[in-house]
Amino acid sequence: MSFATAAIASDSFAPLSVPVDAGRSAVRGEIAAILSMRHGGARPVRLRYELVGREQAPVVVLAGGISAHRHVAANAEFPEKGWAEGLVAPGRALDPASRRILAFDFIGADGALDLPIDTADQADALALLLDHLGITQLQCFVGYSYGALVGQQFAVRHPQRLAKLVAVSGAHRPHPYAAAWRALQRRAVALGQLQCGESHGLALARQFAMLSYRTPEEFGERFDAPPEVVNGRVRVAAEDYLDAAGAQYVARTPVEAYLRLSESIDLHRIDPAAISVPTVVVAVEGDRLVPLADLVGLVEGLGPRGSLRVLRSPYGHDAFLKETDRIDAILATAFRTPGENA
Amino acid sequence: MSFATAAIASDSFAPLSVPVDAGRSAVRGEIAAILSMRHGGARPVRLRYELVGREQAPVVVLAGGISAHRHVAANAEFPEKGWAEGLVAPGRALDPASRRILAFDFIGADGALDLPIDTADQADALALLLDHLGITQLQCFVGYSYGALVGQQFAVRHPQRLAKLVAVSGAHRPHPYAAAWRALQRRAVALGQLQCGESHGLALARQFAMLSYRTPEEFGERFDAPPEVVNGRVRVAAEDYLDAAGAQYVARTPVEAYLRLSESIDLHRIDPAAISVPTVVVAVEGDRLVPLADLVGLVEGLGPRGSLRVLRSPYGHDAFLKETDRIDAILATAFRTPGENA
């Protein structure tokens, strides 16, 4: 069964992909396609990917949070740092010498889609991309945060293409408290837009998001200095850090991308029972966005197909990016245990 | 020892107080005074109070969060609802038939003080008010949230005027994570002020604050409906509630009051060892602003003068306002146990 409802575009959106070249350690490509979107009908989209590792190796998709992208780690072709540096590396479960690692830019991440984007749309976009690349089946989809939601949708909609899912820090539906937090972040952006301060608003949204990604424990250790009074205003110890986080984010993120991918998290709802693929759910105790109880609910809904791993980390929702050794150990175990379709 | 550094104003700030009248159940008053402020030197301030209950009864001060005020509960003179309705009531520890209850507007709450306001300034303002009212000593200072910080400063600076302190959901210093959260709320206000969206900014700040006052558990129960797409934008279930909370707050709060009292929380730092008054510290497990660990630290610093009561409540930082029976029981016990100065 497949819900793929889109087709690679022919004339009007000519494929731009670079063919996969066995002699290179990494290739990037971009294809134009028409995607049938849940809230917008047929839309032209660009599918941008990076494929790293040995050509004959089993393919693993790695997808991260809404600000992640196709470049997971530095390599000979693309030496800039990636967002999963240390996890995709020699000797790791995600070693490009033993696995072919596919990552992609989420649709909407370029800011070109100004409409509600469902996680189902992302899953269908990936199916199109796999068609284009001639990849029949994934050994595993490793999804973290938003990537975990997309992985769940991919498992629901394209089960024949997936042997195993590892879903880290992402439940089958958003928690209402986390949804409210994100809604207010989007309001910060809207307020900035009202004031001709679009980047101000986006920076503020990102700063509030940082508080949801991290934990009081970490802030308590890093920012326990007294406040200062600067120009008659109180400035607390974490503000330099938050300024930097906001500025860095604004420099690389289109406002519409942020808004629509943030919304997309809140649109996500699947029935865990609809996932027929063996799934490892990874929860972080102390994650302020995705409570352990919701991931227990997901695993219960998966029945015998689901298993749960729980980490405790001062990095909360960001643990995937910080607890590299522990995440790697979980992935190594997951890759050793064959999925039922494998 | 007293740090009182201010004096009741004479000519230029004529007292406006209504004399306490034994025949009335409640009186309100307002006095003009000069207060020596930590970050601003001598400043004219208005001290607004409401005094309820039997004239010869022991006096208890009740002080709440930054949006609390002098009107704690409806009474014959002032029938509108107060902010501590249900706690100040017949049969309660804070029964106006058996106790004289004093509450006041924080300085700066009228928006007239546009400078950093220290919790020490609030404590000294209260000392001035007590001078004016001819109240030598308080049986108890019951402070919740910001009120707990003011109570701590009052205990440090005016110990001879206080027999006992009950400090609910307020530590000896702000937690760095909570301070960062408030700093971002102040930035939302500043963003609104960029072009004439001051009330938009204040509403957004309040909405973010609501997330820090309440808990995911409560939101999970109240707002577990799927999102809607309204005018092409995703709207989550809690947004109606947050809209109402923002609008209600904006209608009654001057922007400068919000900014300066929010800052004041972040300026608060006392040495627990400097409190010589018997103190009951009340902590709420699950309070996202004031972690239990910080209140344990406060109690440890108090040594034999301190005792700790811990509540678990789905209302988090707002438990004082919601768990009326349990707070009342704690107050009843505290009032029965005499303080060492009593």
Side-chain angles (χ1 to χ4, degrees):
Chain A
M1 176 179 69
S2 166
F3 291 80
T5 48
I8 304 290
S10 51
D11 300 338
S12 51
F13 296 93
L16 304 176
S17 67
V18 179
V20 178
D21 175 348
R24 299 173 65 189
S25 69
V27 286
R28 278 185 184 170
E30 175 175 337
I31 63 169
I34 301 290
L35 184 68
S36 174
M37 295 181 67
R38 193 171 266 186
H39 295 275
R43 298 280 175 151
V45 293
R46 300 259 155 180
L47 308 175
R48 299 181 180 89
Y49 66 92
E50 189 174 313
L51 191 53
V52 188
R54 198 161 54 81
E55 201 182 350
Q56 298 313 314
V59 180
V60 173
V61 160
L62 179 57
I66 62 169
S67 49
H69 45 72
R70 63 180 172 179
H71 185 55
V72 293
N75 55 54
E77 263 60 59
F78 308 106
E80 64 276 18
K81 287 207 163 184
W83 62 269
E85 213 63 56
L87 259 185
V88 176
R92 294 295 197 179
L94 291 169
D95 184 341
S98 58
R99 244 165 277 275
R100 212 168 162 209
I101 298 150
L102 173 64
F104 55 99
D105 290 353
F106 293 120
I107 59 164
D110 56 5
L113 280 176
D114 193 12
L115 76 165
I117 300 170
D118 202 278
T119 47
D121 303 328
Q122 302 285 1
D124 290 350
L126 173 59
L128 281 179
L129 178 59
L130 297 182
D131 289 343
H132 169 80
L133 295 172
I135 297 170
T136 318
Q137 208 204 29
L138 302 176
Q139 182 194 27
C140 191
F141 186 119
V142 177
Y144 150 63
S145 189
Y146 186 60
L149 317 186
V150 174
Q152 291 164 21
Q153 287 281 15
F154 191 79
V156 169
R157 299 168 74 83
H158 307 283
Q160 76 291 352
R161 306 192 82 150
L162 184 62
K164 180 167 258 180
L165 172 64
V166 177
V168 183
S169 304
H172 48 298
R173 57 158 185 78
H175 191 281
Y177 183 87
W181 204 330
R182 279 185 294 270
L184 294 184
Q185 291 162 27
R186 297 192 290 271
R187 287 176 179 211
V189 174
L191 178 60
Q193 288 173 326
L194 269 185
Q195 310 281 309
C196 315
E198 198 169 73
S199 64
H200 267 71
L202 183 60
L204 182 60
R206 175 64 174 185
Q207 290 159 350
F208 271 114
M210 290 310 296
L211 293 193
S212 69
Y213 298 152
R214 299 305 178 86
T215 66
E217 291 72 25
E218 185 197 1
F219 272 61
E221 281 179 22
R222 290 178 65 179
F223 305 116
D224 195 19
E228 292 172 9
V229 176
V230 181
N231 299 326
R233 291 277 163 198
V234 172
R235 187 172 170 88
V236 308
E239 287 190 70
D240 287 350
Y241 164 78
L242 292 167
D243 277 338
Q248 200 178 37
Y249 193 69
V250 163
R252 64 169 199 255
T253 313
V255 165
E256 286 307 336
Y258 170 77
L259 288 174
R260 294 308 188 174
L261 291 176
S262 168
E263 283 184 349
S264 187
I265 301 170
D266 290 326
L267 284 173
H268 181 69
R269 283 200 178 215
I270 61 138
D271 175 3
I275 296 182
S276 57
V277 171
T279 299
V280 179
V281 173
V282 183
V284 179
E285 231 189 306
D287 184 335
R288 290 171 94 75
L289 285 179
V290 186
L292 179 57
D294 285 8
L295 293 176
V296 169
L298 168 58
V299 171
E300 282 171 356
L302 287 166
R305 299 175 306 289
S307 64
L308 178 66
R309 298 291 300 268
V310 181
L311 299 183
R312 174 140 191 93
S313 165
Y315 296 108
H317 191 70
D318 273 358
F320 182 86
L321 305 173
K322 296 281 186 177
E323 306 283 2
T324 313
D325 290 346
R326 297 159 77 192
I327 296 291
D328 180 61
I330 290 170
L331 296 183
T333 306
F335 294 166
R336 267 198 306 271
T337 322
E340 66 186 7
N341 300 359
Chain B
M1 176 178 70
S2 167
F3 291 82
T5 48
I8 302 291
S10 52
D11 300 339
S12 52
F13 296 92
L16 304 175
S17 68
V18 178
V20 178
D21 175 347
R24 299 172 67 190
S25 69
V27 285
R28 277 185 186 170
E30 175 174 336
I31 63 168
I34 301 290
L35 184 67
S36 175
M37 296 181 66
R38 192 171 268 188
H39 295 276
R43 298 277 174 154
V45 293
R46 301 261 156 180
L47 307 177
R48 297 181 181 90
Y49 66 92
E50 189 174 314
L51 190 53
V52 188
R54 197 161 53 82
E55 201 181 349
Q56 298 313 316
V59 180
V60 173
V61 160
L62 179 57
I66 62 170
S67 50
H69 45 72
R70 64 180 170 179
H71 185 55
V72 292
N75 54 54
E77 264 60 59
F78 309 106
E80 64 276 18
K81 286 208 163 183
W83 63 268
E85 213 65 56
L87 260 184
V88 176
R92 294 295 197 180
L94 291 168
D95 184 342
S98 58
R99 244 165 276 275
R100 212 167 162 210
I101 297 150
L102 174 65
F104 55 99
D105 290 353
F106 293 119
I107 58 163
D110 56 6
L113 280 176
D114 192 14
L115 75 165
I117 300 171
D118 202 277
T119 47
D121 303 328
Q122 302 286 0
D124 291 349
L126 174 59
L128 281 180
L129 178 59
L130 296 183
D131 289 344
H132 170 80
L133 295 172
I135 297 171
T136 317
Q137 209 205 29
L138 302 175
Q139 182 193 29
C140 191
F141 186 120
V142 177
Y144 150 62
S145 190
Y146 186 60
L149 316 186
V150 174
Q152 291 164 20
Q153 287 281 15
F154 190 79
V156 168
R157 299 167 74 81
H158 307 282
Q160 77 291 355
R161 309 192 79 150
L162 185 61
K164 180 166 256 180
L165 172 64
V166 177
V168 184
S169 305
H172 49 297
R173 57 158 187 78
H175 191 283
Y177 183 87
W181 204 331
R182 279 184 294 268
L184 294 184
Q185 291 162 28
R186 296 193 290 270
R187 288 176 177 212
V189 174
L191 179 59
Q193 285 174 324
L194 273 187
Q195 306 220 4
C196 35
E198 199 169 71
S199 64
H200 266 73
L202 183 60
L204 182 58
R206 175 65 173 184
Q207 291 159 349
F208 272 113
M210 290 309 297
L211 292 193
S212 68
Y213 299 151
R214 300 303 179 87
T215 66
E217 291 70 26
E218 186 197 0
F219 272 61
E221 280 179 23
R222 290 178 64 180
F223 305 116
D224 195 20
E228 292 174 8
V229 176
V230 181
N231 299 325
R233 293 275 164 199
V234 172
R235 188 175 170 85
V236 307
E239 287 190 70
D240 287 351
Y241 165 78
L242 291 168
D243 276 338
Q248 201 177 36
Y249 193 69
V250 164
R252 64 169 199 257
T253 313
V255 165
E256 287 307 336
Y258 170 77
L259 288 174
R260 294 308 189 173
L261 292 176
S262 168
E263 283 183 350
S264 187
I265 302 170
D266 290 327
L267 284 174
H268 180 70
R269 284 201 178 214
I270 60 137
D271 175 4
I275 296 182
S276 57
V277 171
T279 299
V280 179
V281 173
V282 183
V284 180
E285 229 189 307
D287 184 334
R288 290 170 94 75
L289 285 179
V290 186
L292 178 56
D294 286 7
L295 293 176
V296 169
L298 169 58
V299 171
E300 283 171 355
L302 287 166
R305 298 175 306 290
S307 64
L308 179 66
R309 299 291 302 268
V310 181
L311 298 183
R312 174 142 190 91
S313 164
Y315 295 109
H317 190 70
D318 273 358
F320 182 86
L321 305 173
K322 296 282 185 177
E323 304 284 2
T324 314
D325 290 346
R326 296 159 77 193
I327 295 291
D328 180 60
I330 289 170
L331 296 182
T333 306
F335 294 166
R336 267 199 306 271
T337 322
E340 64 188 5
N341 300 0

